[in-house]
Amino acid sequence: MGYTFDQLPRALQQQVLRGESGKGRQELFDSISEAQLQRMVIEEAKRLGWGKPISRDDMPANYCLIYHTHDSRKSAWGFPDLVLCHVGQLRVLYVEVKREGEKPDPFQLAWHESLLACGQESYVWFPHDYEAILEVLRAKPA
């Protein structure tokens, strides 16, 4: 293919992920790293209003309520890669991102299943889930 996903223009990234480009879509999904997918999710979440804290005078204007594990070696085994907060919707998402074809390990599945059992929104997302990711981020609480 010759290009990494990050090197493609944003409009083309969106077109390919929505399936409008047809040819090479699976190749592109396969080329998206976990770090790239994580950046894409964070970017879209911020664009859609996720991460904005309750206004406070003692906080920097750019403070964001989106957490991502920087170094999993010092975190609880299997804890999700992302925690996204939307104060306006009273929602918190726990998200594990994976490369295409990878599977969550038993510790990641234990967190995911336990969070779901506790009534939390927990997801495991892959590059081919891009449209579903957007739907979840755009969804309004019932």
Side-chain angles (χ1 to χ4, degrees):
M1 191 164 202
Y3 295 98
T4 65
F5 185 80
D6 283 348
Q7 293 170 323
L8 295 174
R10 179 151 172 77
L12 181 57
Q13 291 175 5
Q14 302 300 318
Q15 182 183 25
V16 170
L17 290 169
R18 286 192 306 266
E20 296 169 4
S21 71
K23 213 173 190 184
R25 186 169 188 230
Q26 189 58 49
E27 286 177 34
L28 185 60
F29 289 153
D30 291 343
S31 75
I32 297 172
S33 71
E34 188 173 307
Q36 288 170 319
L37 179 58
Q38 184 169 294
R39 284 193 303 273
M40 291 165 54
V41 170
I42 290 171
E43 180 182 315
E44 291 298 335
K46 286 181 177 180
R47 189 179 64 75
L48 293 167
W50 289 83
K52 294 179 183 172
I54 294 173
S55 295
R56 295 179 50 104
D57 293 334
D58 58 349
M59 300 191 77
N62 65 345
Y63 186 74
C64 187
L65 296 174
I66 295 177
Y67 169 82
H68 65 93
T69 303
H70 287 279
D71 185 352
S72 61
R73 294 173 297 179
K74 296 181 181 181
S75 299
W77 288 358
F79 190 79
D81 295 316
L82 296 170
V83 179
L84 300 98
C85 182
H86 197 303
V87 175
Q89 294 184 11
L90 302 176
R91 290 175 69 200
V92 176
L93 305 182
Y94 298 88
V95 179
E96 181 64 37
V97 295
K98 288 290 179 197
R99 284 188 70 107
E100 205 67 31
E102 286 188 0
K103 294 182 180 179
D105 66 37
F107 300 103
Q108 293 166 333
L109 287 174
W111 271 102
H112 174 65
E113 292 164 359
S114 298
L115 287 164
L116 289 173
C118 290
Q120 302 302 302
E121 284 189 75
S122 181
Y123 301 92
V124 178
W125 284 337
F126 300 86
H128 71 263
D129 293 323
Y130 188 73
E131 282 301 304
I133 292 168
L134 291 179
E135 286 179 28
V136 169
L137 294 174
R138 289 181 184 136
K140 304 289 188 228

